[in-house]
Amino acid sequence: MNNPFQDPELIEIRALIRSGREPDNPQLINQWLHRESCCANRRGIRPCTRCSKERQQNHYEQQFYLLLDTISDELISPNWRRCCLDAIWQPLHVLHQLIHNEQDRSRWLQLRQELSLCSHYVAPGLTAIS
């Protein structure tokens, strides 16, 4: 299967998202989430039927952490960080769909907790006028 993490165009889109260089283009995040799937055979926000659960979990956790890191970066405009916060539910949603046992559930709850803590600390900076 193709590895979306090696696609030069997707690498550039991830860099744009992480750096917040296109703060007036929030659609870029949705385009990335829909184009960068766990494999080249699926699109959208549902689990893939061709990739292993572990591959999918790894993939969507990487998406989650790219968005979480961007949300946490106070050097990026508040508007862009809010866009990332609005989109972070998508990889988290797919990860929820991939829960098959208590270990998966525990990991998913851990990610939600990280998001909750991060949101609590960055909230004042997200309300700043951009």
Side-chain angles (χ1 to χ4, degrees), residues 53-65:
K53 181 184 80 159
E54 292 76 19
R55 178 184 169 121
Q56 292 180 73
Q57 287 170 325
N58 182 34
H59 173 80
Y60 292 107
E61 280 189 29
Q62 288 182 40
Q63 285 186 337
F64 173 86
Y65 279 115

Side-chain angles (χ1 to χ4, degrees), residues 93-123:
H93 175 73
V94 178
L95 286 165
H96 186 263
Q97 292 179 321
L98 291 169
I99 293 174
H100 290 98
N101 56 45
E102 192 54 40
Q103 182 180 0
D104 295 343
R105 179 173 167 66
S106 177
R107 179 66 182 142
W108 183 79
L109 290 171
Q110 178 185 347
L111 295 174
R112 280 194 41 200
Q113 180 67 20
E114 288 181 48
L115 177 57
S116 177
L117 287 170
C118 172
S119 298
H120 174 75
Y121 285 107
V122 303

